[in-house]
Amino acid sequence: FPLFSLHYFVNSTAIWIGLGIISLLCEVAFVLNSKKFLNAKMRNFDPVALAATFYFCVFVLSFSYSTFIIGENIFGDYKNLFDSGFGVFVVLNCLLYTFAPYLYWNALKQISAADTSIIYSFLGVHTLWLGLLFFGKTIGIYAAIGIVILFASQILVNWKGKGMKFGKYQIFMILATLAYAAAFLTDSVILNSNQIAVTGHMTGRFLFPTLVLFLFWPWRIKNAKEILS
């Protein structure tokens, strides 16, 4: 989280490219570690309980950092967002971050980490076309080149019938990727409103899905306790 606060001190494209690479590497490590955890021998961890537990842990970390280290007034920031007319984006953002992990973690438990990563690699493409269609975004030359390279890589992966077979959980992963793409766009709207800081937004973004996931599936709280133990 302290890495994200660099934008207060450094305005450099190179810094953000470096952070983007670090984020990508962390994402790969996260998928592999989660897959290993979900398929641990002698265990049958519930994917929804694991998602809710992960979200709760990140909420605790982000809330502690933003409240006790930075000294943000998170509840006041959210009030400002609603007063400024950004409340609909906050609600939509929380719903997307509830829907996406439910699909993502169920898919991750059933399909390979490789298939998960291949489908998730289209996140940027989905973000671009959703932004173009609903948020008035534009596609630059570098983004266009990136899309071409991505599709070319998928052709190579699926060459000579070696690609993945699509079933229920592959569709789950596609829908999860679309939900995450839409969520990232609402993240952008909320953060660019200048009404809330990054860590403050992360606090609410992870708290609401945790509450909803446990509210609709309360029996999974027991699974969450087992995971934490």
Side-chain angles (χ1 to χ4, degrees):
F1 299 128
L3 290 175
F4 286 101
S5 65
L6 282 175
H7 70 279
Y8 290 113
F9 309 105
V10 180
N11 184 18
S12 169
T13 301
I15 289 293
W16 287 109
I17 290 175
L19 291 178
I21 293 172
I22 292 172
S23 176
L24 179 61
L25 293 173
C26 289
E27 180 67 30
V28 172
F30 172 74
V31 171
L32 292 173
N33 182 67
S34 300
K35 181 65 176 176
K36 184 177 180 180
F37 195 94
L38 283 168
N39 295 329
K41 293 181 179 180
M42 307 303 294
R43 296 281 185 176
N44 186 26
F45 290 119
D46 181 81
V48 175
L50 184 58
T53 304
F54 162 70
Y55 268 45
F56 175 74
C57 291
V58 178
F59 155 71
V60 172
L61 289 171
S62 56
F63 177 80
S64 301
Y65 177 77
S66 58
T67 303
F68 301 112
I69 297 180
I70 297 181
E72 294 176 3
N73 180 7
I74 297 172
F75 298 105
D77 290 343
Y78 272 102
K79 182 179 183 301
N80 292 335
L81 278 170
F82 278 89
D83 291 343
S84 303
F86 290 94
V88 62
F89 292 102
V90 174
V91 174
L92 180 60
N93 183 264
C94 290
L95 291 174
L96 287 168
Y97 275 116
T98 303
F99 178 66
Y102 172 82
L103 295 170
Y104 178 92
W105 290 77
N106 273 293
L108 185 60
K109 186 175 178 65
Q110 302 297 331
I111 64 179
S112 70
D115 283 0
T116 300
S117 298
I118 288 172
I119 297 173
Y120 193 75
S121 67
F122 279 90
L123 177 67
V125 176
H126 295 319
T127 303
L128 287 172
W129 74 260
L130 285 173
L132 184 66
L133 191 61
F134 297 107
F135 291 84
K137 304 287 185 180
T138 57
I139 299 178
I141 182 64
Y142 294 114
I145 293 173
I147 291 174
V148 172
I149 293 174
L150 180 60
F151 276 101
S153 68
Q154 298 309 310
I155 292 173
L156 291 174
V157 168
N158 291 277
W159 188 255
K160 293 183 179 179
K162 295 180 180 179
M164 73 180 75
K165 294 181 180 179
F166 278 88
K168 173 183 175 181
Y169 291 101
Q170 282 79 6
I171 294 173
F172 269 28
M173 192 62 209
I174 292 172
L175 292 174
T177 305
L178 284 168
Y180 275 124
F184 291 164
L185 287 167
T186 57
D187 283 336
S188 177
V189 172
I190 292 170
L191 292 173
N192 286 315
S193 71
N194 296 318
Q195 299 293 328
I196 193 168
V198 173
T199 48
H201 171 55
M202 288 180 65
T203 299
R205 178 184 123 174
F206 284 100
L207 173 61
F208 181 82
T210 302
L211 296 176
V212 173
L213 288 172
F214 281 139
L215 179 65
F216 282 93
W217 296 280
W219 61 90
R220 283 173 166 141
I221 294 177
K222 181 180 179 181
N223 298 110
K225 291 179 179 178
E226 181 183 1
I227 291 169
L228 289 173
S229 65

